[in-house]
């Protein structure tokens, strides 16, 4: 949870880039009243915990999690993104933008 706080502090600092952010989905590891209160008080965002049903076994499709997993799957199709080759995080971010642009253009064509 402390690592989550550090990440969210950095996201909050770049408010001009994430001004539409209102809801954060987290897994069960971030469940807890102190963390949720901190996010609501410091960041003014809503935290929704996505939990796996307790009575199930094996693979379970979780709400909203498939969006992230699917996007990572698409990005892993690009050789430059499969490993962390870049020195600067901005370079990695640029290659992610390029990969997503290529994915969108191919769908529109």
């Amino acid at each position: 949870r402390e690592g989550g706080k550090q990440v969210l502090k950095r996201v909050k600092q770049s408010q001009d880039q994430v001004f539409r952010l209102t809801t954060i989905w987290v897994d069960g590891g971030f469940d807890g009243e102190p963390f949720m209160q901190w996010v609501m008080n410091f960041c003014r965002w809503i935290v929704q915990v996505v939990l796996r049903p307790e009575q199930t076994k094996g693979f379970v499709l979780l709400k909203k999690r498939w969006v992230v997993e699917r996007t990572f799957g698409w990005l892993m199709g690009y050789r430059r993104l499969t490993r962390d080759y870049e020195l600067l995080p901005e370079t990695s971010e640029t290659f992610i933008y390029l990969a997503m642009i290529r994915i969108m253009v191919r769908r529109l064509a």
Side-chain angles (χ1 to χ4, degrees):
R1 293 182 186 133
E2 293 303 315
K5 287 181 181 180
Q6 291 177 4
V7 169
L8 292 178
K9 282 180 186 177
R10 293 191 70 182
V11 170
K12 182 71 173 171
Q13 290 172 353
S14 62
Q15 185 67 32
D16 56 333
Q17 296 176 353
V18 292
F19 61 92
R20 292 179 15 192
L21 182 64
T22 58
T23 305
I24 299 172
W25 290 292
V26 297
D27 65 358
F30 292 95
D31 192 14
E33 194 63 31
F35 178 75
M36 295 173 81
Q37 283 298 324
W38 180 86
V39 173
M40 286 189 230
N41 293 337
F42 181 76
C43 301
R44 305 277 189 228
W45 297 326
I46 299 169
V47 176
Q48 290 183 355
V49 180
V50 180
L51 293 175
R52 176 188 171 139
E54 293 181 13
Q55 65 274 14
T56 59
K57 293 182 180 179
F59 175 77
V60 177
L61 184 63
L62 299 177
K63 180 179 128 183
K64 299 295 180 186
R65 189 170 187 164
W66 67 272
V67 175
V68 176
E69 299 295 335
R70 178 193 64 197
T71 305
F72 286 155
W74 289 338
L75 292 176
M76 290 303 110
Y78 295 88
R79 186 182 61 82
R80 188 90 180 240
L81 296 174
T82 58
R83 300 284 185 268
D84 192 14
Y85 295 121
E86 312 307 328
L87 181 64
L88 300 173
E90 291 82 8
T91 308
S92 296
E93 181 182 4
T94 302
F95 279 109
I96 291 171
Y97 280 126
L98 289 172
M100 293 307 293
I101 289 169
R102 183 172 181 202
I103 290 168
M104 289 188 284
V105 167
R106 290 181 70 190
R107 287 186 177 192
L108 290 173

